[in-house]
Amino acid sequence: MASLISENFKFIALFFRSKDVMIFNGLIGLGTVASQTAYNIFAFNCPCSPMKNYLYGLAAIGVPALAFFVIGLSLNRNTWDVVSECRTRKCRKLSVTAAFALLGSIVGRAVVAPITWSVISLLRGEAYVCAFSEFVDPSSLDNFPPTKKIPEIMARFPCKDVPAPFMNYSRVIERQLQYESQVLTQLLGWLLVGIISLTVFLLLCLKHCCSTLGYQQEAYWSQYRSSEQALFQRTAEVHAKYNAVECVKSFFGFVALENQEKELLETCQGIKNVIPRMEWNRVTGVYMYREIGDTPLYSRLNKWDMYTKELSV
């Protein structure tokens, strides 16, 4: 159990330390900000009608965020890895550790755009002003003229289409609602940061308490995983190209290769045309984490731990 917990945290640490992931998430955030700005300029149009304002404002904040979340899930390769795993093996080989790591990776990337959209919408305050203008209490405003059509008058403030006696209160109401929107954003934002920070701290404490490896062993294992992934990607690309060359050659009789590709493929002596399914199971990203305790490297790390203990004695 300790090894599974330790391996799970190593996977998450590698994920968040990846520069490519951070750059990708940053680009998603910038794209979301640009989309939200364009939406407010060209598409946002408050109806300025009782009850319609509320639905329209909440929809402007929540519906695009939900759409971005669904799109983020569908565009994530790990989502389809999990679907394929459950379809082919009925999730029998999906361990709790692997499921937690993969779902964390999927959801972590998918929520970047929705959170960015919601935060920017609340900071700008236009959708919030549209949604809650009709609920402003007239008694909180100084010398507000008496009227029997309070909801109708309040709902028209976002459009600045109000009768002349109420025109002076337009800026006051807008500023008050924007203040509430930004305060809500800051409270939720700092609360989220606090919860995430506390959770990460507790999980790191749990990881170090449950880990069977020393600090240098964990650093070595992380380096090994990173190197193995990079080498696997490059080797898989060459292997796929080799098989594609053989297939195209059998169809046309020749292959139009560049000189660099010819030199690369000439070095692929003894390449496997068919990889056994058992070997594929070890690199699917799901099955591998279940069997990690039986890998030769893990055994060597345990021997290393015993050796370091003997030296310390």
Side-chain angles (χ1 to χ4, degrees):
M1 180 62 184
S3 63
L4 294 179
I5 295 176
S6 178
E7 191 58 36
N8 177 38
F9 284 107
K10 294 188 188 81
F11 183 89
I12 296 175
L14 285 175
F15 169 76
F16 282 105
R17 271 185 275 176
S18 174
K19 295 181 180 179
D20 294 338
V21 171
M22 295 303 177
I23 294 174
F24 181 74
N25 289 339
L27 293 176
I28 291 178
L30 292 176
T32 306
V33 172
S35 301
Q36 208 278 336
T37 303
Y39 173 78
N40 283 337
I41 295 175
F42 300 105
F44 185 81
N45 189 14
C46 187
C48 296
S49 177
M51 296 309 299
K52 293 182 180 180
N53 282 17
Y54 182 71
L55 296 176
Y56 187 85
L58 293 184
I61 298 174
V63 173
L66 180 61
F68 278 128
F69 181 72
V70 175
I71 292 173
L73 291 178
S74 62
L75 294 181
N76 196 320
R77 185 182 63 182
N78 290 337
T79 302
W80 306 113
D81 289 342
V82 174
V83 173
S84 177
E85 169 71 16
C86 294
R87 180 180 61 84
T88 56
R89 290 194 283 263
K90 308 299 181 182
C91 297
R92 289 190 299 270
K93 298 295 185 179
L94 188 62
S95 65
V96 176
T97 302
F100 182 81
L102 286 176
L103 291 178
S105 173
I106 293 170
V107 176
R109 290 191 179 187
V111 299
V112 174
I115 290 178
T116 304
W117 180 278
S118 300
V119 168
I120 297 301
S121 297
L122 291 175
L123 287 177
R124 294 176 64 94
E126 295 179 1
Y128 189 92
V129 171
C130 177
F132 293 96
S133 61
E134 61 184 286
F135 301 106
V136 175
D137 186 7
S139 62
S140 63
L141 304 173
D142 296 334
N143 301 321
F144 191 81
T147 179
K148 296 181 180 180
K149 299 181 179 180
I150 292 179
E152 289 80 1
I153 295 297
M154 292 298 179
R156 293 166 63 180
F157 273 106
C159 300
K160 297 179 174 57
D161 181 21
V162 293
F166 305 95
M167 185 62 68
N168 295 333
Y169 296 92
S170 177
R171 183 57 185 166
V172 177
I173 293 175
E174 181 180 357
R175 185 164 54 245
Q176 177 180 338
L177 292 175
Q178 287 181 344
Y179 160 78
E180 294 177 0
S181 176
Q182 293 181 6
V183 167
L184 178 63
T185 305
Q186 294 179 21
L187 289 176
L188 294 178
W190 285 114
L191 181 62
L192 181 62
V193 170
I195 292 175
I196 292 177
S197 301
L198 181 61
T199 303
V200 170
F201 173 74
L202 294 177
L203 291 178
L204 288 176
C205 292
L206 181 63
K207 171 209 166 186
H208 287 291
C209 290
C210 298
S211 177
T212 58
L213 302 178
Y215 174 77
Q216 291 184 344
Q217 291 172 318
E218 290 185 353
Y220 177 80
W221 176 250
S222 299
Q223 184 63 40
Y224 168 81
R225 290 291 311 283
S226 178
S227 301
E228 183 188 49
Q229 183 178 7
L231 290 172
F232 180 84
Q233 293 294 336
R234 293 201 298 266
T235 307
E237 181 180 356
V238 175
H239 187 277
K241 183 173 293 186
Y242 180 86
N243 285 332
V245 167
E246 294 296 321
C247 182
V248 173
K249 186 176 181 180
S250 64
F251 185 79
F252 289 104
F254 73 99
V255 182
L257 294 175
E258 297 180 357
N259 293 332
Q260 185 177 2
E261 293 175 333
K262 291 180 180 179
E263 295 176 358
L264 178 63
L265 294 179
E266 286 177 356
T267 61
C268 299
Q269 301 295 332
I271 190 172
K272 293 182 179 179
N273 291 328
V274 179
I275 301 177
R277 183 170 183 81
M278 201 63 181
E279 295 185 18
W280 272 116
N281 288 340
R282 294 186 176 276
V283 293
T284 55
V286 176
Y287 182 74
M288 180 175 58
Y289 291 110
R290 182 178 179 85
E291 302 295 337
I292 197 69
D294 298 328
T295 58
L297 178 62
Y298 195 86
S299 300
R300 290 199 297 272
L301 287 176
N302 285 335
K303 294 180 180 178
W304 184 15
D305 186 45
M306 296 175 60
Y307 177 69
T308 54
K309 288 181 179 178
E310 291 176 358
L311 289 180
S312 62
V313 174

